[in-house]
Amino acid sequence: MSDKTFCVTSLVRLVAATLMLSLATPSVMAREVRDYRNDRPEYPGTNLIRRIFGENRLYFRAGATYLYPDLNTRSIELKNLSNIAEVAVEPGPQNGEAFSDPLLLFPSAIIGYVLPWGDGGWSVETLAALPPTLTLKIKGEIADVPLAEEAQGIPTGVPPLGSRVAETKALPPIVTLVKRFRMHSDFRPYAGLGLTYLYTYDSKVTNPVLTEFGRPDLDIENKFGWVAQIGFDYKIYRYWWANLDVKYVSVPKVRATMENTFISAPGLPQFQFVEVGDAEFVADLNNLAVHVGLGFMF
Amino acid sequence: MRIKSSLQGAALVASLALFAACEDSSRAFQPPEIGDGLIYTYPLDGTVDVPLGTKTLFVFSNPVDADAALAGCSEGADNVPVGSFCLIGPNGPVDTAAMTEIVNNGRTIQFSTDQLAQGTRYEVWLRESAAPGAVNLPEAAPLLSFRTRQSAPVPGQAPSVLAINQDSPDAFLEGSGREPRFPFMDFAPIRVTFSEPLAQKSVRLGETFSFVKILQDESGGVVGEEPVEVSLHTERHYISLQPLEDMEPGARYELRLTDAITDLGSEPLAPVTYRFLPENSKENPGDENPPIRQVLQTFPTVNDPGFPLPSRLSDLTLNQFNLVNDVLGVNQVDAFPDALEAWLVDPVRFPVETPILARAGQKLRLTGINPAKLSGEVDLNLNTGNITGVFFNNVTAYLLPNPYRPLGTNPDDDVAPLIAIMNFDLSMQGEDPAGNATFNQNLMHVQAPGVVTITDGTLNIELFTTLQFEVLGGASTINADFALGVRSDLAFVVDPQNPEGPIVTGSFPEDGDIGVETQENILLTVSDTLSHKGLDEVVLLNMDQGGTAVPIKVNRDGTTLVVTPLGELAPASRYELILPPSITDADLLNPLPLEFRADDALGGDGVLRFTTADYSRDNGVLVPPMLVNVYPGVGCALTDVNTQPGKAGRCINGLPTDVQYENFLYEIDTIMDVNFSQPMDTASMRPGTINAAGNACSNGAICIGEDVDGTWQNIPLTLHAENMAAQLFPEEGRIIEGGMYRLVVNGSGDTFRNHPDFGNLAVNTDPLGSINAPGGPNIIADFEAVQATSTIFATIRTRPFTDTNGNGFFDAGEFEALGNGATLIIDDTGGVITDADFSDPDKDKIFISGALPVGFKPIEPMDLGNPNLGMIPDGPGRWCTPPEVDANGDSVCIDTEGDFMTPVDVGTQIVLGTSVSLDATALVVPINGLATGGVILRIKPREEGPVVGYVINEAGEETPQFLLKLDAYLDAPDLEILGGLAASNLRSTEIGAYIKGPISFLNDGRITLDSTNITAISQSIELSLAEPGTAGPLDPVCGLPILGPILCGIVEPVLTFELGNIDLLINPGNFNIKVVNHPSRALRLAAPESE
């Protein structure tokens, strides 16, 4: 059995086990005696959560998030160029910038925990969602003009890269400390500050020019960023709340490095392939995440 | 419950972790492993014309096993040799141990071809055991083969085409089924390499060969043809044709060689036609050049960053070269940072071998040999100045993947570098006029392969080639290994400057010369390489025939313009060679016309005027030619052969007391030659076959043989005949070190005969018997072949000389060449001679003509007191002649400079002198017109060892000096006194003097030794009734038994009693001998042979 097959098989088994455990839980709960002492929402697992975290501690707002990534390109630099690549292109900064398309409304949930001090206005929140796939693109000269138009005056035949460069899955855990105001009102504005940690995986180059001979290695730096948050909760019914949440998530100076890149240069037919060298993108990853959700307090 | 929740959480985390871990990161491209191996060779497979002395290189990406590579090789079964590194010649494995070394940090096997044979194909077998780990070496087949250069003519073999553009000629032969190895481009010259040197008079475009374009109609039918205008260079075994305009792609061109082309032995080429189908190099019709411009510059040079940069292929430094040879020692030259413009053909159209063009007329420069010093010590007062190489034809180059790797292997600087192959013709010249004249030359059909690596964002090309230079006017050659570093960078700037137009700096003959031979090249040395322009307007006019144009062939060798009259010139005629102002230099960007300046060699009018020799004889007597040089041997039949150990005998009709000649030696690879006193009938100058007895040649005048089990076997010869000389070229490989051989010159029958205008008389092999008697016994000279020890070996000729018709008299039509003559003084008379004077006061001179083989030897510590010179030390660096050598008892002193001197072996040959005529009074009887007749001056052999002179540097002299103690025998075989009633002592009469003079270099490139006597010479003509040592007319009686000796014992003292004497004196400075080498530069500019 190959490693890859083994991985897939293992994944299937683990996911299946997880689902079985999840499905098993309601039947177990169904045999328990239901507590009707309050009218809190009762759903499978809610009491378990209350037992773990306590009442009026944990809340969630399930909904959708609109993510608008704003990449502020600091530099695109070619380095460690191979000898042949150096003939065609100068190492160092390149003209152009990176960007990513906005992600429209993907399912997400804000999960918060009300801290035990104060009047219940302080809480810690996180945003849970399936990791979004970010499509990384470039524009400007680097996209529109062949990087290596000529090598020593010889047309290389290397086409422009075009826009699409790579994609990656981002798993940016966000933790914010939130202060809610007007705690006795049904309309509770809040503001928060927090940290995020940009964790990417499954990053891969998708550019057809760069992948003719295989995928170059793409490494996106994992690093901390900061989060500013405002929003409000509005009580709809008893423990049910709707909310609108706007986060500004900034991870500065994220470094992405592409290595082991081999391209075809039809104008240099004596080279079956041309090793390029490394490309390094440095950008501030600034995201505006607008979340609309509905949830209740456990 | 908690447990289950924990399990759920763990499972999720594990899923995520595993999901992350199973990211597909294995799809990065992994270039295929190439493996270590051979990455470069010089020469390439199939190369022809590899000069002997070339270093061959076999370069690996991995270390060589030196023990295995140097272990040698043996013959194996099925012609597959056994060994790691084998060189296989026609006779099997060649012992390479002494010629092979491991260089380049253990990655290169370097083999020198010094000891290989000319014109021979060799295979190189190189196996993995020589470089363990190498993946690309064949075990059961040769790696490559190459052929060495054939510089000398090949006897008995017709010339053939060896290569066209370094490719098999079959590739250009219609119907051969073979395609050219490299694309033949529309800009390419056609370089035809032959198997041996050609007779240049037979190589005439439009007559003996042609290059035409076949005209076709739209359907491809042939409708005609037209000659293609080309820039033509022909010399030695090369023809290069550069079409003046790029050829038409797809059109058909034909090179037709006829059997009128012959080699130097007059053997004809088999007629053959080659066809060429040029490929398009341009992007668009009408483009001047291929589409991709490149600028190539020598890099790094001395002042560039990164200099010195070691070679990747050898132990050399890029762009810094050592010119090493025995004559001049080690001279380091550096490349200048010169840029060439080149054009790359679209690689997409030629993806494997991408053609590159560099247009003709571009230059590279080197620092020169400044000054030239013999063995690096004895200053020759000669500078080349900076040396410029001009590409006089388009450079055709190719960029290709490493040929030692499978096709499709990606280039890799270390294990599979790109290869560049440059093919070019280069004209070399020196900046200094004298240096240029002795150095300029063409380097033809050079192929320089190199590796291309990529550093600093540029293509860097390292080309390796061994170039063979001729230096000192062709008297010596230098094999120079060039590791030329070139960088391609569009930032380099091609210098468009061309500071000045070419001027004529020298000529042969000189402007205004008289007595010029009637069959000879005319040479003009110019300060720059010339283009083809205007050359067809050069005319040679016979001014004594109303300015009739003489058919000529004009060729260029370096900066020398070689004008070869196609027929023999008329004697005693005035000629003018007229250079048109349309002649230009070959500069690509800014060609300038030939400048005529008052200080140029032609006096500023562009006309070379000369007068041919007047061969008329005042007395009308036909005199046979003499052999003034036979190398190896001497120009007289010998007697007393094998009577003394180590001696070869003496000339017949000399005296028995003559010192015998040393055994004759032949230095292998020097040119055997004979020189004559007169213009010859070249039809008679044919090599023959030695007879079994070894005493005569059949079907030819001269032959060579070797004794095999008591029978003489012939060694085939090629003979190149000139006006007054012939060079002999034995069959390759037949003369080997230590072997004993015999040279025979017939004295009768099939023998050398003089020019029909001179009576077509047989050569005189007994000049001491009489100068006037044709024929004589055969000259038989046994010689031993020895390893060459001379750094320069040349036969030098007395030039200019007076006795152009070689009859032993100063005739009215001849001129006084004081550089080769002696002015006599009648010092005294005695006995019955009471008075004497010259019959004509203006003819008080003896003019000499001859030729001497000389060999310059390696330097020795300065010592003029050695036995060869016998001078007396007189303080540090000061030496004086012994007083007893001088007729006046004077001593002459020389202050030397430096610690070394260069010995020069001088051949003991025969020199012809002109007659002097005296009017004397014997008591009261006038003896008028007492003419010596032609006199013979034989350089006297030493009792032991060769005659040796020395080249020294002398204080106060700019030029080096040649110093020789010259001892000679003087003979006047035809001196007749009183109708034979009296005799003289002028038979084997010894004279001696020190001669000294400068070695200099003429502006036409010839080396000159211009010596004069520094001590006085006296000679007394003693008159008696019979010649000393004889009984005169009673000699036959002396042979009678018993009575003869008694009678002769009585009468001989009476008959030989000195009746009177005339004492002649040559004061210091009055005996001059000026010898020069022939401007033929070996066979580079072979003098024309008459048809």
Side-chain angles (χ1 to χ4, degrees):
Chain A
M1 184 185 293
S2 68
D3 292 346
K4 194 167 183 177
T5 311
F6 175 76
C7 281
V8 171
T9 310
S10 304
L11 270 173
V12 169
R13 286 176 180 165
L14 278 166
V15 170
T18 306
L19 288 173
M20 286 173 66
L21 281 169
S22 302
L23 290 173
T25 305
S27 60
V28 171
M29 297 301 295
R31 289 195 296 272
E32 292 177 353
V33 177
R34 187 169 176 174
D35 182 1
Y36 292 101
R37 285 178 296 180
N38 58 50
D39 293 330
R40 294 177 185 277
E42 287 291 343
Y43 297 102
T46 51
N47 287 334
L48 174 64
I49 290 172
R50 288 188 191 103
R51 278 200 291 275
I52 294 171
F53 296 99
E55 287 189 350
N56 292 328
R57 289 296 176 203
L58 199 65
Y59 60 90
F60 77 95
R61 306 287 185 264
T65 297
Y66 170 84
L67 181 68
Y68 179 79
D70 177 20
L71 290 178
N72 174 32
T73 306
R74 286 178 176 259
S75 66
I76 303 174
E77 195 169 353
L78 300 179
K79 56 197 336 185
N80 302 325
L81 291 184
S82 70
N83 287 337
I84 179 66
E86 274 199 2
V87 177
V89 60
E90 286 284 327
Q94 306 296 312
N95 294 324
E97 53 185 302
F99 70 100
S100 180
D101 288 336
L103 295 176
L104 293 175
L105 296 177
F106 59 89
S108 59
I110 292 174
I111 299 169
Y113 179 79
V114 179
L115 296 172
W117 56 79
D119 58 356
W122 290 94
S123 58
V124 176
E125 284 187 0
T126 188
L127 179 66
L130 285 175
T133 298
L134 296 177
T135 300
L136 301 176
K137 295 184 174 180
I138 51 175
K139 62 184 178 183
E141 196 174 302
I142 194 169
D144 303 332
V145 178
L147 257 185
E149 195 161 13
E150 289 187 343
Q152 204 66 43
I154 306 168
T156 61
V158 176
L161 290 177
S163 174
R164 188 182 179 93
V165 174
E167 60 185 37
T168 186
K169 287 191 169 62
L171 186 65
I174 294 173
V175 178
T176 52
L177 180 63
V178 178
K179 170 62 178 164
R180 284 188 166 71
F181 307 98
R182 302 180 62 192
M183 289 302 293
H184 300 291
S185 166
D186 289 348
F187 179 79
R188 295 178 185 175
Y190 62 81
L193 280 174
L195 292 174
T196 184
Y197 181 74
L198 177 66
Y199 175 78
T200 59
Y201 66 97
D202 204 8
S203 304
K204 57 189 176 192
V205 176
T206 55
N207 184 280
V209 175
L210 302 175
T211 55
E212 186 170 342
F213 289 97
R215 286 197 199 287
D217 295 334
L218 178 63
D219 177 56
I220 299 176
E221 185 183 21
N222 297 331
K223 67 183 299 186
F224 285 100
W226 58 271
V227 183
Q229 175 185 19
I230 57 171
F232 65 87
D233 289 330
Y234 181 74
K235 183 189 283 186
I236 302 171
Y237 176 71
R238 291 190 175 179
Y239 295 93
W240 288 85
W241 296 79
N243 89 320
L244 175 67
D245 180 275
V246 179
K247 288 189 176 72
Y248 185 78
V249 183
S250 177
V251 185
K253 293 186 182 175
V254 178
R255 194 178 307 270
T257 307
M258 185 171 66
E259 296 176 336
N260 291 324
T261 309
F262 294 83
I263 63 171
S264 169
L268 306 174
Q270 279 135 352
F271 286 82
Q272 310 305 308
F273 53 85
V274 175
E275 184 178 3
V276 176
D278 302 344
E280 184 182 87
F281 293 74
V282 178
D284 299 333
L285 182 58
N286 303 322
N287 296 296
L288 192 65
V290 180
H291 173 85
V292 179
L294 180 66
F296 57 82
M297 176 74 81
F298 288 92
Chain B
M1 198 64 194
R2 286 175 187 267
I3 292 170
K4 284 182 180 173
S5 300
S6 299
L7 281 173
Q8 280 181 314
L12 274 169
V13 170
S15 296
L16 287 172
L18 193 58
F19 191 71
C22 288
E23 267 184 66
D24 188 0
S25 61
S26 62
R27 293 181 57 198
F29 177 66
Q30 295 298 319
E33 284 284 328
I34 298 174
D36 278 322
L38 181 76
I39 60 172
Y40 174 89
T41 69
Y42 176 80
L44 298 172
D45 185 26
T47 302
V48 300
D49 201 40
V50 174
L52 297 186
T54 291
K55 285 190 175 63
T56 63
L57 302 180
F58 304 91
V59 184
F60 292 85
S61 63
N62 54 320
V64 169
D65 182 338
D67 291 339
L70 302 177
C73 190
S74 59
E75 287 193 62
D78 300 326
N79 293 323
V80 175
V82 178
S84 298
F85 173 58
C86 301
L87 185 74
I88 309 298
N91 302 318
V94 177
D95 182 6
T96 58
M99 299 175 278
T100 307
E101 54 186 324
I102 309 301
V103 300
N104 190 25
N105 293 321
R107 296 196 306 119
T108 299
I109 300 173
Q110 177 176 288
F111 166 76
S112 176
T113 60
D114 297 85
Q115 305 301 319
L116 302 189
Q118 285 193 58
T120 304
R121 182 176 175 271
Y122 291 91
E123 286 180 351
V124 175
W125 293 65
L126 194 49
R127 297 193 168 100
E128 194 259 346
S129 53
V135 299
N136 57 350
L137 296 178
E139 284 292 316
L143 173 71
L144 58 83
S145 67
F146 63 89
R147 189 181 193 275
T148 52
R149 177 174 296 171
Q150 180 65 47
S151 301
V154 182
Q157 194 170 308
S160 60
V161 176
L162 279 185
I164 296 177
N165 291 1
Q166 286 288 355
D167 204 344
S168 165
D170 289 351
F172 302 95
L173 210 52
E174 189 153 38
S176 70
R178 187 164 181 165
E179 291 297 315
R181 164 80 177 80
F182 296 98
F184 178 76
M185 304 307 296
D186 52 6
F187 55 72
I190 294 168
R191 302 183 173 99
V192 188
T193 312
F194 292 85
S195 57
E196 59 176 312
L198 302 177
Q200 288 303 309
K201 276 175 67 174
S202 75
V203 187
R204 303 192 299 272
L205 182 63
E207 297 177 53
T208 62
F209 74 104
S210 58
F211 184 57
V212 298
K213 178 184 176 185
I214 305 299
L215 303 176
Q216 295 170 302
D217 59 21
E218 289 182 357
S219 63
V222 175
V223 296
E225 64 184 44
E226 63 183 15
V228 180
E229 285 191 275
V230 298
S231 172
L232 175 69
H233 285 80
T234 71
E235 62 176 72
R236 296 176 284 166
H237 51 290
Y238 305 110
I239 294 179
S240 284
L241 303 110
Q242 175 68 62
L244 299 184
E245 306 219 333
D246 286 356
M247 289 174 278
E248 180 186 331
R252 177 188 175 99
Y253 293 79
E254 289 187 358
L255 175 66
R256 298 168 185 160
L257 307 174
T258 72
D259 58 4
I261 295 176
T262 66
D263 63 16
L264 292 172
S266 300
E267 288 155 323
L269 180 80
V272 62
T273 295
Y274 296 105
R275 61 107 176 84
F276 301 87
L277 304 170
E279 300 206 46
N280 185 20
S281 66
K282 319 293 191 316
E283 191 167 45
N284 302 301
D287 284 355
E288 285 189 5
N289 290 302
I292 302 167
R293 184 173 181 267
Q294 303 279 287
V295 181
L296 307 173
Q297 181 166 306
T298 42
F299 185 91
T301 55
V302 172
N303 295 318
D304 289 324
F307 184 88
L309 185 65
S311 160
R312 297 170 66 95
L313 307 175
S314 65
D315 277 352
L316 302 173
T317 296
L318 295 189
N319 299 323
Q320 188 168 66
F321 319 113
N322 284 333
L323 308 182
V324 185
N325 90 334
D326 296 335
V327 182
L328 300 177
V330 179
N331 291 274
Q332 181 180 296
V333 300
D334 295 296
F336 283 91
D338 291 320
L340 304 177
E341 186 177 57
W343 302 90
L344 191 72
V345 179
D346 184 359
V348 175
R349 290 182 48 225
F350 297 91
V352 181
E353 290 106 356
T354 306
I356 303 171
L357 159 70
R359 290 281 179 196
Q362 303 189 75
K363 303 173 183 176
L364 293 177
R365 290 172 303 146
L366 305 172
T367 58
I369 303 173
N370 303 309
K373 292 183 176 181
L374 288 173
S375 300
E377 293 288 347
V378 180
D379 192 339
L380 287 173
N381 188 39
L382 177 73
N383 300 286
T384 62
N386 292 334
I387 294 172
T388 301
V390 180
F391 297 102
F392 58 79
N393 286 328
N394 288 345
V395 178
T396 45
Y398 298 91
L399 186 68
L400 59 152
N402 196 290
Y404 307 103
R405 300 293 186 175
L407 196 62
T409 302
N410 214 54
D412 180 294
D413 284 359
D414 294 322
V415 295
L418 283 171
I419 296 291
I421 299 172
M422 279 180 75
N423 296 296
F424 56 87
D425 301 305
L426 195 63
S427 161
M428 304 297 293
Q429 65 198 61
E431 194 175 60
D432 185 280
N436 176 37
T438 62
F439 178 77
N440 81 82
Q441 60 201 276
N442 288 341
L443 303 175
M444 302 282 283
H445 301 189
V446 179
Q447 184 173 69
V451 291
V452 181
T453 55
I454 301 164
T455 51
D456 302 333
T458 59
L459 294 183
N460 294 272
I461 306 170
E462 178 184 340
L463 298 161
F464 180 87
T465 191
T466 297
L467 298 180
Q468 191 170 64
F469 294 106
E470 293 183 352
V471 290
L472 305 180
S476 184
T477 58
I478 293 177
N479 281 321
D481 303 316
F482 280 82
L484 189 69
V486 176
R487 171 166 284 189
S488 175
D489 191 334
L490 292 171
F492 290 135
V493 177
V494 178
D495 182 5
Q497 299 293 318
N498 184 13
E500 60 177 12
I503 58 168
V504 180
T505 56
S507 70
F508 172 79
E510 291 181 27
D511 192 25
D513 264 1
I514 54 177
V516 175
E517 289 187 47
T518 52
Q519 296 181 71
E520 188 57 277
N521 289 317
I522 301 164
L523 310 179
L524 293 161
T525 308
V526 187
S527 61
D528 204 349
T529 300
L530 298 181
S531 75
H532 68 282
K533 291 175 186 163
L535 297 186
D536 56 350
E537 298 170 37
V538 176
V539 291
L540 177 64
L541 305 177
N542 182 337
M543 304 310 292
D544 284 341
Q545 291 184 355
T548 308
V550 175
I552 54 174
K553 176 188 174 186
V554 179
N555 201 16
R556 293 159 283 167
D557 181 21
T559 62
T560 301
L561 199 61
V562 184
V563 179
T564 305
L566 296 181
E568 186 179 345
L569 300 182
S573 299
R574 291 173 299 124
Y575 284 88
E576 289 187 1
L577 181 77
I578 301 172
L579 300 180
S582 54
I583 289 177
T584 71
D585 64 32
D587 192 89
L588 172 66
L589 301 175
N590 187 19
L592 293 175
L594 186 64
E595 289 182 17
F596 300 118
R597 300 198 320 215
D599 60 347
D600 70 21
L602 304 183
D605 61 1
V607 180
L608 170 64
R609 296 177 177 84
F610 62 90
T611 303
T612 50
D614 184 346
Y615 296 128
S616 58
R617 295 161 291 275
D618 292 351
N619 58 14
V621 176
L622 297 174
V623 176
M626 271 174 50
L627 281 159
V628 292
N629 166 53
V630 173
Y631 171 70
V634 67
C636 61
L638 298 172
T639 186
D640 289 345
V641 177
N642 295 328
T643 57
Q644 294 178 22
K647 300 292 183 180
R650 61 181 177 85
C651 289
I652 57 172
N653 279 314
L655 291 180
T657 53
D658 288 353
V659 176
Q660 292 197 8
Y661 291 106
E662 289 274 299
N663 279 341
F664 299 117
L665 302 177
Y666 167 68
E667 289 193 25
I668 290 174
D669 291 336
T670 56
I671 294 180
M672 294 183 181
D673 59 357
V674 292
N675 293 72
F676 301 92
S677 58
Q678 299 175 354
M680 298 298 288
D681 175 11
T682 51
S684 72
M685 298 164 79
R686 291 178 291 109
T689 303
I690 199 167
N691 65 7
N695 56 14
C697 307
S698 58
N699 300 317
I702 191 168
C703 54
I704 290 178
E706 60 182 329
D707 187 358
V708 179
D709 300 329
T711 300
W712 287 91
Q713 292 194 346
N714 188 60
I715 295 175
L717 286 177
T718 292
L719 184 149
H720 176 242
E722 295 179 6
N723 195 35
M724 295 176 67
Q727 287 104 34
L728 313 173
F729 301 92
E731 189 174 73
E732 182 71 25
R734 295 294 297 273
I735 306 289
I736 57 174
E737 185 180 354
M740 293 298 301
Y741 305 91
R742 172 168 290 182
L743 180 147
V744 179
V745 177
N746 285 344
S748 56
D750 263 334
T751 188
F752 295 117
R753 294 182 179 276
N754 61 8
H755 194 283
D757 292 348
F758 289 65
N760 211 224
L761 303 177
V763 69
N764 179 359
T765 59
D766 178 20
L768 300 188
S770 170
I771 287 174
N772 298 320
N778 292 350
I779 295 174
I780 299 172
D782 291 331
F783 64 90
E784 180 185 359
V786 297
Q787 194 62 40
T789 55
S790 295
T791 55
I792 297 176
F793 191 94
T795 296
I796 51 179
R797 309 176 186 184
T798 53
R799 293 292 184 278
F801 68 108
T802 294
D803 189 12
T804 51
N805 63 20
N807 67 345
F809 289 90
F810 176 20
D811 295 300
E814 294 170 338
F815 67 101
E816 280 194 344
L818 296 174
N820 280 301
T823 303
L824 306 173
I825 294 173
I826 298 174
D827 190 38
D828 200 2
T829 58
V832 298
I833 305 296
T834 55
D835 188 27
D837 208 345
F838 293 105
S839 302
D840 180 347
D842 293 333
K843 293 194 174 179
D844 58 347
K845 299 176 178 64
I846 292 177
F847 295 101
I848 59 173
S849 56
L852 299 173
V854 295
F856 285 61
K857 302 294 179 181
I859 56 172
E860 292 177 359
M862 182 73 75
D863 177 15
L864 304 189
N866 70 50
N868 294 317
L869 288 177
M871 295 181 77
I872 301 166
D874 186 31
R878 184 176 174 82
W879 313 82
C880 300
T881 59
E884 62 270 20
V885 175
D886 186 273
N888 300 323
D890 293 333
S891 184
V892 180
C893 297
I894 295 171
D895 293 304
T896 58
E897 281 184 344
D899 299 326
F900 295 92
M901 58 185 184
T902 300
V904 181
D905 282 7
V906 177
T908 48
Q909 297 294 333
I910 292 174
V911 176
L912 173 64
T914 56
S915 172
V916 287
S917 180
L918 301 169
D919 291 341
T921 304
L923 300 176
V924 293
V925 179
I927 309 174
N928 292 333
L930 180 62
T932 61
V935 296
I936 303 292
L937 201 65
R938 283 175 291 149
I939 295 179
K940 180 185 169 186
R942 294 190 59 230
E943 294 289 348
E944 188 175 347
V947 174
V948 184
Y950 294 89
V951 179
I952 58 171
N953 286 132
E954 183 179 358
E957 297 285 352
E958 282 189 359
T959 53
Q961 301 288 307
F962 176 66
L963 177 64
L964 172 69
K965 184 173 186 300
L966 178 67
D967 293 313
Y969 290 121
L970 183 66
D971 292 81
D974 297 305
L975 173 61
E976 190 175 272
I977 304 169
L978 297 173
L981 293 176
S984 79
N985 63 334
L986 295 185
R987 180 173 300 279
S988 296
T989 305
E990 292 185 40
I991 60 171
Y994 284 90
I995 63 170
K996 181 177 78 75
I999 293 182
S1000 56
F1001 297 86
L1002 301 181
N1003 282 345
D1004 61 22
R1006 292 178 297 164
I1007 305 175
T1008 303
L1009 276 65
D1010 193 356
S1011 300
T1012 190
N1013 62 318
I1014 58 174
T1015 54
I1017 306 167
S1018 67
Q1019 177 58 47
S1020 180
I1021 301 176
E1022 297 168 356
L1023 305 180
S1024 55
L1025 293 176
E1027 198 176 305
T1030 71
L1034 298 179
D1035 262 353
V1037 179
C1038 298
L1040 295 175
I1042 305 173
L1043 184 61
I1046 295 171
L1047 183 63
C1048 289
I1050 297 168
V1051 300
E1052 187 177 315
V1054 176
L1055 294 175
T1056 58
F1057 178 75
E1058 182 185 322
L1059 300 173
N1061 62 283
I1062 304 170
D1063 296 339
L1064 300 173
L1065 179 69
I1066 304 173
N1067 278 323
N1070 280 348
F1071 170 59
N1072 302 306
I1073 178 167
K1074 181 176 182 177
V1075 288
V1076 297
N1077 64 335
H1078 190 259
S1080 61
R1081 307 184 185 178
L1083 284 180
R1084 173 180 286 280
L1085 308 174
E1089 194 168 319
S1090 69
E1091 292 175 334

